[in-house]
Amino acid sequence: MGLAEVAAEAGVSPSTVSHALNGTRAVRAETRERVVQAAARLGYVPNGVARRRRRSAVVGLVIDCIATTPFAGRIIRGVQEEARERDALLMVVDSGGDLELEQGHVRALADRRVDGILFARSSHQEIDRPHGIDDIPFVLIDAVPTPGWAVPAVAPDERAIASVAVAHLVAAGHQHLAFINSAADTPASRGRHAGFRSAVEWAGLYDMHAVVERTTPDAAGGRRMGRRLLERAPGVRPTAIFCFNDQVAMGVYQAAEALGLEVPRDCSIIGVDDLEIVAAALDPGLTTITLPHREMGRWGMRSLLDRIEGREVDAAAPLLLAGALVERRSVAPPRRRLTDWLSRR
């Protein structure tokens, strides 16, 4: 007894039977009911259901760059926490950023008939539908699907990240800001740019007081662009810089030091990621926005297990989770405002 027999009994396609019984895609309620009744009459039990009755769910996690970024570890921690609570077995495979190897891992997991696959990236990216996943429940973490592919996904709210950064700098009294964005065209760079522009407009700042520059998202890029911005004369030079990530911020620190400027006396700096080996090690400590990697991992595993168990999970649009501001000592009022504040004490 298989899908074909149930499909013939219900008058639908085999793929519709699979979607209706496994919850892998939306099926009209009346069609689902017809399929369920046909399966009951024929005594058909889906393979996935039969497996789950015999053992805990087995989930594969395909992720990139475990060895080179702490963000992968944070995602895995969240996934593992949810797996333990739901009595699921987790298999983790690392692609090392190799797209061909990544595709091979997906095929291998599918061939081994895992109950579902989590597909995670350690930085927010757009993902094409992998080949060979068929009707296996699938969820994206820190990634969004390309247009035309509906799949549950969770990612950081990049616009909100930039808005939080701008709001924090404006609240400190800054009215001449710069944003050093990544030159790469990614959901993170696009979202943070849009959030920055929207936030500065809301704050009533003009373009000349809210400069956007692009560079490589590393310390070298931060040094180059930081020097270009900080070499400007006082009054033209930004009093605060929002950086795409903590590594760019570290480069800006280095540029400021090379120019004889001090953070935050001469320029406040805020980053993104809360990369502890950078943010907490800089002097002064870097104010930054931490990304919700652990929370994304938990949501991803929870949603995948719900799908495996036949519950509906919204795949219409990615779930966007906010980051959290981590205040250290790299943000202070601009120099004139700081002098005024000290004189009143």
Side-chain angles (χ1 to χ4, degrees), residues 299-333:
W299 184 92
M301 176 58 95
R302 182 165 59 250
S303 298
L304 184 64
L305 293 175
D306 284 348
R307 295 195 79 189
I308 290 170
E309 294 168 6
R311 289 191 284 273
E312 292 288 344
V313 178
D314 187 11
L319 174 69
L320 302 181
L321 298 182
L325 181 71
V326 179
E327 293 188 58
R328 294 190 176 93
R329 295 186 296 111
S330 65
V331 175

Side-chain angles (χ1 to χ4, degrees), residues 4 22 118 171 298:
N22 293 311
L118 291 169
R298 288 196 68 115

Side-chain angles (χ1 to χ4, degrees), residues 276-301:
E276 291 185 9
I277 59 173
V278 174
L282 288 170
D283 185 22
L286 176 66
T287 293
T288 185
I289 299 172
T290 187
L291 298 180
H293 291 104
R294 181 179 173 186
E295 293 82 359
M296 289 190 294
R298 288 196 68 115
W299 184 92
M301 176 58 95

Side-chain angles (χ1 to χ4, degrees), residues 175-296:
Q175 296 184 344
H176 193 172
L177 313 181
F179 173 33
I180 302 180
N181 198 5
S182 170
D185 183 21
T186 66
S189 62
R190 293 194 298 269
R192 292 175 199 177
H193 180 265
F196 179 80
R197 297 310 314 174
S198 177
V200 296
E201 181 179 347
W202 180 85
L205 304 181
Y206 297 100
D207 286 349
M208 63 178 295
H209 294 131
V211 178
V212 177
E213 301 286 0
R214 294 182 179 273
T215 189
T216 54
D218 51 28
R223 284 193 298 273
R224 288 193 300 272
M225 193 54 63
R227 190 174 189 100
R228 183 182 303 179
L229 290 169
L230 295 175
E231 280 180 334
R232 299 175 181 180
V236 179
R237 184 173 68 213
T239 63
I241 299 176
F242 168 44
C243 299
F244 177 78
N245 61 24
D246 292 348
Q247 292 170 299
V248 170
M250 179 169 65
V252 177
Y253 267 67
Q254 294 166 347
E257 183 178 14
L259 293 169
L261 302 176
E262 294 183 15
V263 178
R265 187 193 66 178
D266 299 300
C267 183
S268 289
I269 300 175
I270 185 169
V272 178
D273 285 342
D274 194 25
L275 190 60
E276 291 185 9
I277 59 173
V278 174
L282 288 170
D283 185 22
L286 176 66
T287 293
T288 185
I289 299 172
T290 187
L291 298 180
H293 291 104
R294 181 179 173 186
E295 293 82 359
M296 289 190 294

